[in-house]
Amino acid sequence: MAVFVLHTSKPKDYRILFKLNDEIEFSSKSFSSRVECFQMIRLMRSKCHKDLFYNLKKLSCGSWCFEFVEPNSNDILGRSKTYEDKMTVLKKISLMKVSANKAKLKSS
């Protein structure tokens, strides 16, 4: 099951966590308000199926991840956790594409 979790660790530091089967797969950048988080969720739900919102990235340590980006500005809106190989990241992107648009919202 896919879930968006509104997470805050301190005042004015809000993030969206995207969970698949109770495991955090993606964390957004920090936002200063809950409203910005809700806007991010709307964006993710409406654009998650589009390839141009994903950047596949190989890290210097050899691991892989993906970034969810705003294609017009190239702003990084969040990043996945890291994986050992490229194929796993591609599978996780595919899962996000089909599940983010119907993910439920939950507060932590």
Side-chain angles (χ1 to χ4, degrees):
M1 181 168 88
V3 178
F4 286 111
V5 178
L6 181 58
H7 176 75
T8 182
S9 58
K10 57 185 175 181
K12 297 193 179 199
D13 183 23
Y14 299 93
R15 293 180 189 274
I16 295 299
L17 306 177
F18 180 72
K19 290 184 170 185
L20 283 171
N21 300 321
D22 292 325
E23 190 170 335
I24 298 170
E25 297 292 341
F26 172 87
S27 178
S28 73
K29 69 178 189 175
S30 177
F31 296 102
S32 60
S33 74
R34 292 171 55 95
V35 171
E36 289 176 302
C37 286
F38 294 134
Q39 291 169 343
M40 174 70 175
I41 290 170
R42 275 197 298 278
L43 175 72
M44 290 180 73
R45 283 181 173 156
S46 66
K47 306 296 184 188
C48 65
H49 62 284
K50 297 187 177 194
D51 287 334
L52 64 132
F53 279 82
Y54 298 90
N55 279 343
L56 191 61
K57 188 172 185 176
K58 186 171 186 178
L59 305 173
S60 59
C61 63
S63 296
W64 290 82
C65 70
F66 69 85
E67 297 169 331
F68 193 77
V69 299
E70 169 51 56
N72 295 328
S73 62
N74 255 356
D75 286 342
I76 298 170
L77 303 174
R79 197 187 108 172
S80 72
K81 67 181 196 177
T82 58
Y83 302 95
E84 289 185 20
D85 58 84
K86 183 178 180 179
M87 286 308 298
T88 302
V89 176
L90 293 172
K91 288 177 189 175
K92 295 298 181 173
I93 290 172
S94 294
L95 285 171
M96 189 163 168
K97 284 180 177 180
V98 298
S99 57
N101 63 343
K102 53 191 168 209
K104 305 275 187 228
L105 175 62
K106 183 176 159 184
S107 291
S108 64

